[in-house]
Amino acid sequence: MKEQLEAIRSAALDSIAGTKAAADLEALRVKYLGKKGELTAVLKQMGSLSAELRPVMGQMANDVRAAVETAIESQSAILAQKALEAKLEAETVDVTIPGKHQEVGHKHPMYTVLDEIKEIFLNMGFEIMDGPEIEQADYNFTKLNTPDDHPAREWSDTFYLDEESKTLLRTQTSPMQIRAMETYGVPIRMISPGRVYRKDEVDATHSPMFHQIEGLVVDKGITMADLKGTLNAVIREIYGPNTVTRFRPHHFPFTEPSCEVDIQCHKCGGVGCPTCKGEGWIEVLGAGMVHPKVLRNCGIDPEEYSGFAFGMGLERLAMGQFKISDLRLIFENDIRFLSQF
Ligand code: DAH
């Protein structure tokens, strides 16, 4: 029996040391220590031993069991450690592999200009208003003192949405003057940027949809000097502190007097070049003192209050600022164009 136990011990320790996986180790545990295992089988023979030999063999059998258990435990730890090392090895990160390039978008150049302009007006105490693109002819024309026979009212110029010519896609942001005064009353100081629509063929300088920024200031004692001072300050913020401006008489139904504002061409200094089409001046906005009839249409007494209004084209501003030669580029969403800004 002694030889049997010795044989079991050395065979068990050998095979345990040779295992490569936890499952093999478990199989060996069953093989040697299980209920039907080899050591158990030997212990079952104990009854046939003499009284002197029994405790000696019993002790030896316990030693073998303890040795096998210890061997299994330590081999189990070794295998776990090896498995961890193999896993770490397999998961090695090669930090020298180039990363995946992430394309990050950015603001459209026109919105860059719009945000800049909003900032300028916010700093001057203006509020920003949003208004409907589907507008009533009343607001787009009538309350803005536009005569019934004005050419802008023609179906050939304006997108009407009904047979009676009552509803339309606004042709200008000016109806926001009316909405602002009706909603908030006076005094008021606001700008309102947004989309406008006209029946224009698409070309390098025209689009049936474009953007304007409307402005309105109404209070007691507002004069043409306020109009000039405000617009000069804004223009110099946008185009630089030395920009020369010119206020040229013009006609708009909703302002009196009305003007267009030009800046001296920054490219040629007023001599005339392709940028200013030989004029020396570039038109940047329309403006004027709010017509007394418009104030009255909004329930405001023109004897007590006066104001000025202005409107500018956003695309034209962006084209000037970023030297964009063709209006279509602004709307085409061509990534090769947009990624230049
Ligand atoms: N609404 C005019 C246009 O589309 C621009 C304009 C001119 C707006 C003079 C104004 C203004 O507020 O006072 O041509």
Side-chain angles (χ1 to χ4, degrees), residues 4-26:
Q4 249 180 316
L5 285 173
E6 281 301 343
I8 288 173
R9 181 207 294 266
S10 75
L13 296 189
D14 273 359
S15 48
I16 287 169
T19 50
K20 297 213 158 32
D24 301 340
L25 204 55
E26 174 60 15

Side-chain angles (χ1 to χ4, degrees), residues 144 171-175 177 196 198 210 212-216 227 252 254-255 258-260 285-290 308-312:
L144 284 165
T171 63
Q172 50 186 357
T173 45
S174 302
Q177 292 184 35
V196 301
R198 291 182 194 175
F210 58 101
Q212 289 186 334
I213 304 171
E214 194 74 17
L216 176 71
L227 179 158
F252 296 106
F254 37 86
T255 45
S258 305
C259 61
E260 281 192 326
L285 53 86
M289 299 306 292
V290 181
F308 66 87
F310 54 91
M312 49 190 155

Side-chain angles (χ1 to χ4, degrees), residues 289-301:
M289 299 306 292
V290 181
H291 199 294
K293 280 189 183 167
V294 172
L295 292 175
R296 233 176 265 128
N297 288 342
C298 299
I300 295 161
D301 182 1

Side-chain angles (χ1 to χ4, degrees), residues 27-329:
L28 289 179
R29 195 188 62 75
V30 173
K31 181 178 177 200
Y32 292 108
L33 307 179
K35 267 188 194 153
K36 292 175 183 162
E38 291 183 19
L39 194 62
T40 319
V42 173
L43 289 174
K44 278 179 185 159
Q45 300 164 23
M46 288 293 226
S48 61
L49 293 176
S50 67
E52 304 92 80
L53 263 180
R54 215 179 288 155
V56 180
M57 283 305 121
Q59 179 63 46
M60 191 175 169
N62 281 340
D63 289 350
V64 172
R65 166 177 288 274
V68 172
E69 277 173 352
T70 310
I72 287 175
E73 257 169 54
S74 67
Q75 180 68 5
S76 170
I78 289 167
L79 288 180
Q81 177 64 26
K82 280 193 176 148
L84 179 64
E85 279 167 14
K87 191 162 181 259
L88 289 176
E89 180 76 20
E91 285 177 0
T92 302
V93 177
D94 183 351
V95 293
T96 65
I97 293 174
K100 280 194 185 135
H101 182 61
Q102 300 275 353
E103 288 282 355
V104 178
H106 62 77
K107 232 187 272 178
H108 189 287
M110 198 180 72
Y111 282 93
T112 303
V113 174
L114 177 57
D115 286 349
E116 195 183 310
I117 289 171
K118 281 183 180 172
E119 193 66 29
I120 294 169
F121 280 106
L122 283 172
N123 286 338
M124 295 174 108
F126 283 64
E127 296 194 43
I128 297 174
M129 285 184 66
D130 204 9
E133 291 170 29
I134 293 177
E135 187 53 281
Q136 294 165 36
D138 238 16
Y139 284 78
N140 195 83
F141 294 126
T142 314
K143 292 185 179 196
L144 284 165
N145 194 36
T146 310
D148 287 343
D149 58 355
H150 194 282
R153 289 187 184 252
E154 296 289 333
W155 273 64
S156 55
D157 287 25
T158 296
F159 291 104
Y160 284 98
L161 301 175
D162 60 0
E163 297 287 334
E164 298 80 39
S165 310
K166 283 194 168 143
T167 319
L168 44 74
L169 294 180
R170 65 179 179 189
T171 63
Q172 50 186 357
T173 45
S174 302
M176 284 307 292
Q177 292 184 35
I178 307 296
R179 291 191 176 275
M181 287 187 278
E182 282 187 355
T183 310
Y184 300 108
V186 282
I188 193 161
R189 216 184 311 178
M190 71 90 184
I191 61 164
S192 184
R195 275 184 276 268
V196 301
Y197 303 84
R198 291 182 194 175
K199 283 192 179 170
D200 283 332
E201 294 289 338
V202 176
D203 66 22
T205 53
H206 292 88
S207 161
M209 185 282 297
F210 58 101
H211 297 73
Q212 289 186 334
I213 304 171
E214 194 74 17
L216 176 71
V217 173
V218 182
D219 204 342
K220 287 181 177 160
I222 298 288
T223 69
M224 191 86 182
D226 297 303
L227 179 158
K228 287 187 76 173
T230 305
L231 294 179
N232 271 332
V234 170
I235 286 170
R236 281 165 196 155
E237 280 286 334
I238 302 173
Y239 293 98
N242 300 319
T243 307
V244 179
T245 56
R246 176 174 81 173
F247 291 73
R248 180 168 40 76
H250 198 76
H251 171 77
F252 296 106
F254 37 86
T255 45
E256 181 60 33
S258 305
C259 61
E260 281 192 326
V261 184
D262 302 333
I263 56 167
Q264 196 167 60
C265 181
H266 32 74
K267 198 87 180 260
C268 64
V271 185
C273 73
T275 300
C276 57
K277 299 196 185 80
E279 300 276 330
W281 297 89
I282 298 168
E283 183 215 317
V284 289
L285 53 86
M289 299 306 292
V290 181
H291 199 294
K293 280 189 183 167
V294 172
L295 292 175
R296 233 176 265 128
N297 288 342
C298 299
I300 295 161
D301 182 1
E303 298 298 326
E304 203 181 342
Y305 285 94
S306 56
F308 66 87
F310 54 91
M312 49 190 155
L314 184 52
E315 284 81 1
R316 185 176 315 173
L317 259 164
M319 288 170 78
Q321 194 135 324
F322 290 113
K323 315 240 177 311
I324 298 166
S325 56
D326 194 316
L327 175 65
R328 287 167 287 200
L329 289 166

